[in-house]
Amino acid sequence: MADSANHERFDSWLDHINRACGPFAGQVTDGGFHGSLQEYHANAMKLSIVDAAHSRLFRTQYEVARSNDAWYYAVFQLDGETVLEQGNNQAVMHSGDITLIDASRPCSINYTQQTKQISLLVPRHMLEQNRRSGELPCAYRLNAEMPVVKMSQRLLHESMKNPTLNACESEAALEALICLLRPVLQVRDALPSKRDKQLERVMGLIDNNIQSEDLRPEWIASEAGMSVRSLYRMFADKGLVVAQYIKNRRLDLCAQALRTVSTTEKLAGIGYNWGFTDHSHFSTAFKLRFGVSPGEYRKRWQ
């Protein structure tokens, strides 16, 4: 009976995790399971406080395919020990440490003991801004003693003490966190491989022709001097899909335009400028990526 009750508590906790953070599978590990979750939303700041013990969460390609790939999870360890894995990397987290997990790739989170951490949703377009090639270092432990890690922890906690932050203030706090962490993430960048350089050239080709209706994988492959199959494989190696990358790149540029152009500019015109010929499709795709409609996004920045 006790074992059954333990699994019932776990199933309830896992259901809450899935609603707050996206699809995860999970299992109880040896020891007495404990789990709770608190959600915190203040406009752009969306995070969960996870308290858990003797359990494991993981995402396979199945869970990834059912989720929104527009995010990274920035994990701020508060107490205890957690082991996070993604790709070939493993981060053993202790109090004060920070790490990054890519929502578009499989991962594993093992709560080996009583643990408390904050999982902050970081929009992909903000973290990857001005970056074309190479992978961000996910499941790397950023040591609690690093000055920028200490400052990032303080900034996050101070932001959480102010739930009345408006849209611009909360997005500014999120951007400040990203600016603090970006240097230590870039320090771990490896020298770009020949394939990374080739991918960078292709992404440059996409950027230079992002407004064209002819921007399709077949055209890109032809211009880059490769087969369509090689193009797909090159993107797949980075956890990307060509068509999805193009759409997300267009949406990110639309979001940038909504923050900067005149309020008299028509929404349909902004979408059209960046390759969305159908306004209904543009509006639906924008809301899926950013959580709000183009009109609401512009209002928040006004």
Side-chain angles (χ1 to χ4, degrees):
M1 290 294 292
D3 190 58
S4 176
N6 202 36
H7 279 83
E8 284 183 13
R9 290 195 302 272
F10 174 78
D11 288 342
S12 176
W13 177 72
L14 181 60
D15 181 62
H16 197 176
I17 290 285
N18 277 269
R19 284 185 277 113
C21 306
F24 279 86
Q27 61 186 155
V28 176
T29 56
D30 293 339
F33 165 74
H34 166 78
S36 65
L37 184 142
Q38 294 175 275
E39 294 182 68
Y40 173 93
H41 289 180
N43 291 301
M45 299 286 286
K46 298 179 181 179
L47 57 87
S48 300
I49 303 172
V50 181
D51 199 331
H54 306 295
S55 56
R56 176 174 173 257
L57 297 175
F58 56 91
R59 305 183 85 199
T60 66
Q61 288 292 358
Y62 175 74
E63 284 79 31
V64 168
R66 293 164 53 224
S67 67
N68 189 337
D69 71 345
W71 306 96
Y72 283 87
Y73 303 106
V75 180
F76 294 73
Q77 190 76 9
L78 302 180
D79 198 12
E81 178 183 284
T82 309
V83 180
L84 295 98
E85 297 180 350
Q86 187 158 63
N88 297 319
N89 301 328
Q90 182 187 83
V92 181
M93 305 282 288
H94 298 98
S95 179
D97 294 342
I98 299 175
T99 196
L100 195 67
I101 295 293
D102 187 345
S104 72
R105 297 163 55 204
C107 67
S108 170
I109 306 172
N110 193 359
Y111 302 106
T112 56
Q113 56 179 256
Q114 189 65 46
T115 295
K116 191 173 185 179
Q117 62 184 201
I118 294 173
S119 178
L120 173 68
L121 289 178
V122 181
R124 180 176 299 276
H125 71 280
M126 293 177 69
L127 198 54
E128 295 182 347
Q129 190 174 11
N130 301 322
R131 182 188 184 93
R132 286 180 177 172
S133 67
E135 295 179 359
L136 284 166
C138 295
Y140 278 103
R141 172 175 167 259
L142 301 180
N143 192 298
E145 296 306 311
M146 299 172 68
V148 292
V149 171
K150 290 181 179 180
M151 287 189 286
S152 298
Q153 288 274 13
R154 285 199 296 269
L155 176 56
L156 179 64
H157 288 290
E158 286 299 319
S159 300
M160 291 172 63
K161 292 177 184 177
N162 293 278
T164 58
L165 290 175
N166 63 35
C168 289
E169 290 169 339
S170 64
E171 188 142 355
L174 191 56
E175 287 181 342
L177 271 170
I178 292 169
C179 287
L180 281 170
L181 293 174
R182 186 172 285 127
V184 289
L185 293 174
Q186 289 176 341
V187 163
R188 296 184 178 273
D189 282 352
L191 290 174
S193 65
K194 182 179 179 181
R195 198 161 180 81
D196 282 338
K197 291 178 180 178
Q198 187 179 34
L199 179 62
E200 184 173 6
R201 287 194 296 271
V202 169
M203 288 181 169
L205 181 66
I206 291 172
D207 272 2
N208 292 335
N209 296 275
I210 197 71
Q211 295 171 300
S212 171
E213 293 182 25
D214 298 323
L215 188 61
R216 295 183 178 87
E218 295 77 12
W219 180 88
I220 295 168
S222 175
E223 290 294 310
M226 61 173 53
S227 68
V228 175
R229 185 177 180 182
S230 295
L231 178 71
Y232 284 144
R233 188 185 301 117
M234 183 170 66
F235 272 72
D237 287 346
K238 299 297 183 182
L240 301 171
V241 177
V242 181
Q244 187 70 33
Y245 174 82
I246 293 170
K247 183 170 76 171
N248 288 342
R249 186 70 180 131
R250 283 172 166 163
L251 289 169
D252 293 345
L253 291 166
C254 287
Q256 181 179 331
L258 287 168
R259 297 195 298 266
T260 56
V261 301
S262 168
T263 55
T264 59
E265 186 84 18
K266 290 184 178 180
L267 296 174
I270 292 173
Y272 186 82
N273 287 342
W274 296 108
F276 291 96
T277 55
D278 184 291
H279 178 63
S280 177
H281 172 64
F282 164 54
S283 184
T284 300
F286 191 95
K287 189 169 184 177
L288 280 172
R289 185 156 179 79
F290 297 104
V292 294
S293 68
E296 180 62 28
Y297 188 90
R298 179 157 66 178
K299 283 179 183 177
R300 290 185 179 185
W301 277 88
Q302 289 175 5

